[in-house]
Amino acid sequence: MSSRSSSLAHRSDEYQVGTNRLGLWLFIVSDSFVFGALLITRFYLLGDRRPHLEQSLGLIVTSVLLVSSFFMNRAETAIAHNDRRTFLFSTAMTLILGVAFLVGVIGFEWRLAPFGPADGAEGAIFYMMTGMHAFHVLTGVLFLFVVLRNGLRGHYSAESHWAVEAAANYWHFVDVVWIFFYPALYLIGRV
Amino acid sequence: MKDHDKDKTIAFRRGVVVLLALAILTAVEYWLGISETPAVFLWVVGLVKAVLVVWFFMHIGRILETQEGGQR
Amino acid sequence: MRKVITVGLARGIFWQIIGTLVGIGMVTGVRFLMGLGWKAEPAWVLGAFVGAIFFMGGVGAVTDWWRWVKGERTLEVHEIHDPSGIWRYFGVSYDHKVIGIQYGVTSLILLAIGGTFALIFRTELAESGLQFLSFQEFNTLVGLHGMVLIISILLGIAAIANYVTPLLIGAQDMAFPRLNAFAYWLAVPGSILLLSAIFFGGFETGWTGYPPLSVRGPLGMQMFFAGVFLNGWSSILGALNLIATILRMRTSGMNYFRMPIFVWSVLATSIIALTATQLIGLSFQMVMFERIFGMGFFDANNGGDPILFQHLFWFYSHPAVYIFVLPGLGIISELLPVFVRKPLFGYKWVAMSSLGIALVGFLVWGHHMFTSGMQSYLRVPFMYSTLLVAVPTGIKFFSWVATLWQGRIRFPTPMLFVLGGIFVFLMGGLTGPPNGTVSTDLHLHDTYWVVGHFHNTMFGGYVFPLFAAIYYWYPKITGRRMNETLGKLHFYLMTPAFFVMSFGQMRVGLLGMRRRIADYDPALGFDLTHLIVTIGGFLIALAVLIFFINLIYSAKRGSVAVDNVWESRSPEWQVPSPAQMHNYPEPFEVVGEPYDYGLAGTQYVVFHNAEVSKGSEGSKL
Ligand SMILES: [Cu+2]
């Protein structure tokens, strides 16, 4: 009991990581209100209509993002066990798949869609939802880039890799958002 | 050291299993979607996928774990 | 001159100007390459956001994070020692007390600006007919009065929460000091942008920014949206930090039900601010995109629905009312036992009622939309959920009355404002149900009655408690007391003036005066009431001016108050004032209940250096 009070002035690094973890989760909770509101907007305005989109492309980008989450998890697991090679490889894979997702959505889907952002509720909702999500993917990619760069310089270890954990958690969150956006945009309702 | 490696192998394997589950669910979801089944099934599949990611990849349980070292 | 350049704020504003030009250049350059000409709106909007980003870089709020990105180490927070002196308040500091003061001063500046806007349009309204404002100017002033004061309130709450929360829970600082500084500094370019709306043609919608009018209005509308958007993020990040601090940084022995009651209210407020604020940000962002890209979210001719905006907007803006008042009600509950010398009645109920208000607050937004054309079957559920708010609010009133009952009450200035707050908030509470009940609201909606009602809730729930908090914690900040005579003058001038103003507003509202209208028909017969309301408004301004004079005067000339001036049990008063960097020389331990005033042999906190002298007595927990 008495040893506790002396630790008060400078709490342990481990405790600080726990606080960071809570902070990131609070951010995720906050951010998910944006995506939740976008889902509500989609169903409020479109109901059981859905925009006319390229089904195969939707399935491909969804798969790409899910696989990227797998590699992200693998990277975090690896660094937690001091396996640097797997960590670096998997982080790089996640990064590449993230860029591939962006190319799929912005480069292809935005060009193939038969409507622009100003064409009715379909256009507004499709570009807003994919755009907001893509913005988050982009920030995740930048975050991963920083992690990869510092990882290559040997910054992380099993004991100290909060940045990797944070990047991973953020990345998975962006994946979870897409898990709901994909059916909402591509699968639910009729064209 | 042996234990440590074993831990790692288990953790990697868990990732593969979750990925397989997600892949199967996505295939199911796609099939449900193109055969225009009621939306509620799609929501259920989406929810299961999200829970898998939140639980196994995001390790939501950890926020409860780290409460313990605190000043309670 | 050199001193000025090294000051963070000056650098920030310099870089904001550069960034704005860069943003304008980017849009114009891209348009030029696409073969398009100059277009003001997208250029200024991107300029606004790039300018804000440059501001954050220029002021130095992201310097440490940038070092982390580069893989460099930075000082731990407990290793940082700020230089003393006035200049540190004009640049980035991670000290929660410095940030608290920064928030507070910014908030009071915005309070003065927003209040001045009201005085201008109140002068216009003092008499029927148009005197000196155009419709456009009048609308802009009304809208800015609302939003500038909302931002002022958010910053004022952040000020008190930032300064006091770590002190009350025995933390050295906030959980994320860099994020804390970032959140504060984000509000500065945000507020600059919000005020700049005047120079971009103003806006006509009032603070709510409803489409379709907001889609058509002048460019000032965009500056308004951009300013609120940035301030919203400031509020979100501040709330995140406060929640993490309260959950993780408490000193030993302080379990949840031994936290000071103010900390509970900060927690409840922060939960709302963390989540709901995203929706006003998103709804404003959607209008911005509708204006720039033609996306038809709220345009009925383009597949959209303006009612959707109201749903998104009020999902934040009703709970926002509780963001504004919960900390104030927490201050009332916190200070009342100190001046009544009795335990706070029903501590657990009061703590839970804050969470209850926060929770129920999420379910009532539709009461702002009874006349909007929303599906009529939603009216009755929203009416009942609205009236349900009276239950947790009533718990607070019962607690206050029972705490006052048979107390040995003292009446220094902070206590006067606590009591004033209770009375004014009671008036706000009693005038609320007619607005929450569908049948009466159909008549009262958009009238001055509503204006009178919410000015009561804002003054009772925020303004009076804010002044109480400033008079109460001023010695902790400066080591001096504020002048009592000026403080009492402030109170006895402001309170009656306020009642005259708000009851006058309700009267003209019941007689048919609409909100946000620059003119009225003299045949309605309430010219005189309007004049009285205006006079009341000016008297409030005079009282606040006295407060400002007191605030500045007492910093240098106030009577020295190093010790526990209010005889409080709270930990921050057990150490000398002003509070030092990193708060407490030694950690303290919580060994009892916080508000057991007047109960012999009770103790709330024990300091460890005291513990050493008393042997094993303090380490019971
Ligand atoms: Cu409301």
Side-chain angles (χ1 to χ4, degrees):
Chain A
M1 284 281 166
S2 57
S3 65
R4 258 208 210 156
S5 48
S6 60
S7 70
L8 180 82
H10 317 294
R11 291 171 199 265
S12 67
D13 288 354
E14 201 192 331
Y15 193 79
Q16 181 62 41
V17 168
T19 308
N20 293 349
R21 212 170 261 153
L22 175 70
L24 183 60
W25 271 105
L26 290 173
F27 179 83
I28 286 171
V29 167
S30 173
D31 221 15
S32 48
F33 271 71
V34 175
F35 294 111
L38 285 174
L39 279 174
I40 286 166
T41 303
R42 180 250 177 266
F43 286 100
Y44 191 98
L45 290 182
L46 291 182
D48 63 354
R49 277 183 299 144
R50 67 175 156 85
H52 182 74
L53 297 167
E54 200 61 53
Q55 282 296 343
S56 50
L57 191 57
L59 189 60
I60 291 170
V61 293
T62 304
S63 310
V64 164
L65 204 58
L66 285 176
V67 175
S68 82
S69 240
F70 163 76
F71 278 107
M72 188 73 256
N73 178 58
R74 201 171 173 83
E76 194 200 333
T77 311
I79 195 65
H81 293 84
N82 259 334
D83 180 352
R84 312 192 75 86
R85 277 175 57 92
T86 316
F87 158 63
L88 290 173
F89 171 77
S90 300
T91 308
M93 280 303 291
T94 315
L95 190 62
I96 291 165
L97 289 169
V99 173
F101 176 86
L102 284 177
V103 171
V105 171
I106 310 284
F108 288 94
E109 191 63 285
W110 279 23
R111 277 165 192 271
L112 294 173
F115 40 71
D119 296 332
E122 275 95 346
I125 285 167
F126 170 72
Y127 285 96
M128 187 74 195
M129 284 173 75
T130 53
M132 182 66 91
H133 182 260
F135 175 73
H136 281 75
V137 175
L138 181 67
T139 50
V141 164
L142 294 175
F143 198 169
L144 282 175
F145 178 77
V146 170
V147 166
L148 183 63
R149 174 181 174 278
N150 287 340
L152 284 167
R153 295 167 157 209
H155 272 292
Y156 306 115
S157 65
E159 293 75 35
S160 153
H161 59 274
W162 161 245
V164 183
E165 190 187 324
N169 244 16
Y170 183 70
W171 191 261
H172 295 311
F173 164 62
V174 174
D175 190 20
V176 169
V177 170
W178 190 253
I179 283 176
F180 291 108
F181 273 24
Y182 171 59
L185 283 171
Y186 286 83
L187 300 176
I188 293 177
R190 296 186 178 79
V191 176
Chain B
M1 204 60 217
K2 256 265 170 70
D3 270 6
H4 190 75
D5 277 358
K6 209 172 146 198
D7 271 7
K8 191 175 80 173
T9 320
I10 292 170
F12 278 165
R13 200 169 293 152
R14 189 182 301 137
V16 175
V17 172
V18 174
L19 178 67
L20 280 177
L22 289 172
I24 293 165
L25 285 169
T26 308
V28 169
E29 187 178 33
Y30 183 73
W31 178 79
L32 286 172
I34 51 171
S35 47
E36 301 204 340
T37 47
V40 59
F41 294 116
L42 287 153
W43 285 117
V44 171
V45 174
L47 215 58
V48 173
K49 284 168 74 179
V51 168
L52 285 176
V53 174
V54 169
W55 188 260
F56 290 107
F57 286 175
M58 297 174 87
H59 312 287
I60 194 168
R62 279 186 197 162
I63 28 173
L64 300 175
E65 262 170 45
T66 46
Q67 294 282 8
E68 297 208 347
Q71 312 287 332
R72 277 322 111 75
Chain C
M1 193 61 204
R2 236 171 116 211
K3 191 99 194 176
V4 173
I5 294 167
T6 55
V7 169
L9 181 62
R11 266 183 294 136
I13 290 171
F14 171 76
W15 281 105
Q16 186 176 12
I17 294 167
I18 302 285
T20 308
L21 295 174
V22 169
I24 291 172
M26 276 156 67
V27 171
T28 312
V30 169
R31 286 181 65 88
F32 180 75
L33 291 176
M34 290 165 70
L36 301 162
W38 159 257
K39 199 174 174 195
E41 185 149 333
W44 277 109
V45 170
L46 193 72
F49 282 101
V50 176
I53 294 168
F54 273 50
F55 178 96
M56 298 307 283
V59 80
V62 292
T63 311
D64 271 13
W65 288 341
W66 183 244
R67 288 200 188 118
W68 293 1
V69 165
K70 290 192 291 184
E72 293 167 15
R73 288 207 167 276
T74 52
L75 285 179
E76 297 288 325
V77 172
H78 59 83
E79 295 167 350
I80 298 171
H81 284 278
D82 279 0
S84 54
I86 189 93
W87 288 105
R88 70 183 161 146
Y89 292 100
F90 291 90
V92 170
S93 166
Y94 298 145
D95 183 353
H96 75 96
K97 295 190 290 302
V98 173
I99 294 171
I101 302 297
Q102 288 172 331
Y103 266 123
V105 171
T106 316
S107 164
L108 289 176
I109 290 170
L110 289 180
L111 182 82
I113 294 173
T116 309
F117 290 153
L119 294 183
I120 296 170
F121 71 72
R122 267 322 313 174
T123 311
E124 170 63 52
L125 283 171
E127 200 185 342
S128 53
L130 267 195
Q131 279 80 38
F132 63 99
L133 288 176
S134 69
F135 286 141
Q136 179 78 23
E137 286 161 355
F138 181 88
N139 289 340
T140 304
L141 287 172
V142 168
L144 275 180
H145 166 69
M147 196 46 97
V148 167
L149 284 175
I150 286 171
I151 305 297
S152 165
I153 293 175
L154 288 174
L155 299 182
I157 289 160
I160 305 168
N162 248 293
Y163 197 97
V164 173
T165 305
L167 280 170
L168 288 182
I169 64 173
Q172 281 193 323
D173 209 303
M174 299 280 279
F176 310 114
R178 292 172 185 83
L179 185 69
N180 200 18
F182 183 86
Y184 164 70
W185 285 102
L186 197 55
V188 177
S191 304
I192 291 173
L193 283 175
L194 175 62
L195 289 170
S196 78
I198 300 179
F199 306 108
F200 289 92
F203 59 99
E204 296 177 298
T205 58
W207 73 277
T208 52
Y210 275 10
L213 186 55
S214 58
V215 178
R216 298 193 196 118
L219 185 52
M221 205 70 235
Q222 292 280 28
M223 294 299 143
F224 165 83
F225 285 142
V228 175
F229 187 84
L230 293 173
N231 273 298
W233 268 103
S234 160
S235 174
I236 290 168
L237 298 174
L240 188 159
N241 213 338
L242 283 165
I243 296 175
T245 306
I246 294 169
L247 294 187
R248 303 277 303 173
M249 309 291 279
R250 298 191 313 278
T251 189
S252 54
M254 186 178 283
N255 60 36
Y256 284 108
F257 288 108
R258 282 182 172 176
M259 292 198 303
I261 206 77
F262 176 67
V263 176
W264 270 107
S265 66
V266 170
L267 184 63
T269 292
S270 301
I271 292 170
I272 310 173
L274 177 77
T275 54
T277 312
Q278 294 283 8
L279 274 93
I280 193 177
L282 181 71
S283 62
F284 280 9
Q285 198 185 345
M286 281 157 80
V287 181
M288 294 177 91
F289 284 0
E290 178 156 348
R291 291 176 60 115
I292 295 175
F293 302 118
M295 297 165 96
F297 296 110
F298 309 124
D299 180 0
N301 290 326
N302 199 7
D305 186 347
I307 305 276
L308 173 64
F309 175 88
Q310 300 186 22
H311 280 298
L312 297 174
F313 175 82
W314 287 113
F315 187 82
Y316 166 75
S317 295
H318 181 83
V321 175
Y322 301 135
I323 299 179
F324 306 154
V325 303
L326 280 176
L329 306 185
I331 289 167
I332 293 176
S333 297
E334 178 77 33
L335 304 195
L336 207 52
V338 180
F339 296 113
V340 179
R341 314 308 297 169
K342 264 184 63 197
L344 179 70
F345 186 85
Y347 169 97
K348 277 192 186 175
W349 286 87
V350 178
M352 287 298 112
S353 72
S354 292
L355 287 183
I357 291 174
L359 194 75
V360 180
F362 275 105
L363 309 173
V364 304
W365 76 89
H367 63 219
H368 296 273
M369 300 167 62
F370 288 151
T371 62
S372 70
M374 119 185 127
Q375 288 85 339
S376 52
Y377 64 83
L378 290 174
R379 283 176 170 176
V380 172
F382 275 124
M383 174 173 88
Y384 279 112
S385 61
T386 300
L387 297 178
L388 196 63
V389 177
V391 176
T393 321
I395 289 174
K396 287 189 189 291
F397 274 99
F398 279 126
S399 158
W400 295 332
V401 172
T403 306
L404 284 165
W405 183 254
Q406 292 190 336
R408 280 171 294 146
I409 308 177
R410 303 167 180 178
F411 293 99
T413 311
M415 181 59 174
L416 294 177
F417 278 96
V418 165
L419 294 174
I422 293 175
F423 273 101
V424 175
F425 194 69
L426 180 65
M427 286 302 131
L430 293 178
T431 52
N435 309 323
T437 308
V438 179
S439 49
T440 39
D441 183 64
L442 294 179
H443 301 276
L444 295 172
H445 184 84
D446 253 0
T447 67
Y448 252 76
W449 164 270
V450 179
V451 176
H453 157 69
F454 72 65
H455 277 84
N456 268 289
T457 59
M458 290 298 101
F459 268 73
Y462 172 74
V463 176
F464 276 78
L466 169 81
F467 287 134
I470 293 177
Y471 283 105
Y472 178 78
W473 275 300
Y474 192 86
K476 189 66 345 210
I477 300 168
T478 60
R480 288 170 190 276
R481 260 181 95 153
M482 285 179 80
N483 185 294
E484 275 291 305
T485 316
L486 288 175
K488 295 214 158 111
L489 192 60
H490 171 198
F491 176 78
Y492 286 113
L493 188 57
M494 190 172 97
T495 310
F498 172 75
F499 277 122
V500 165
M501 182 191 82
S502 65
F503 287 137
Q505 286 169 333
M506 288 181 209
R507 178 183 143 82
V508 294
L510 289 175
L511 292 174
M513 177 75 195
R514 313 284 295 163
R515 287 174 79 171
R516 301 190 187 117
I517 303 291
D519 191 14
Y520 48 91
D521 190 344
L524 286 163
F526 45 57
D527 274 50
L528 179 64
T529 316
H530 260 302
L531 178 64
I532 292 171
V533 169
T534 301
I535 292 169
F538 273 91
L539 287 178
I540 295 173
L542 181 64
V544 175
L545 190 66
I546 294 169
F547 163 77
F548 278 130
I549 291 168
N550 193 354
L551 198 70
I552 295 164
Y553 166 85
S554 301
K556 281 265 178 326
R557 302 276 181 84
S559 60
V560 176
V562 183
D563 297 330
N564 190 351
V565 267
W566 314 113
E567 296 180 70
S568 168
R569 289 163 63 93
S570 198
E572 80 273 23
W573 294 106
Q574 314 308 320
V575 293
S577 307
Q580 57 168 346
M581 183 112 192
H582 304 318
N583 297 347
Y584 296 102
E586 292 287 328
F588 63 82
E589 196 163 340
V590 172
V591 296
E593 304 300 321
Y595 300 109
D596 282 349
Y597 288 95
L599 302 186
T602 62
Q603 215 169 358
Y604 179 36
V605 294
V606 165
F607 279 82
H608 279 273
N609 38 8
E611 183 194 357
V612 173
S613 60
K614 275 197 244 163
S616 64
E617 219 223 318
S619 55
K620 263 177 276 175
L621 247 165

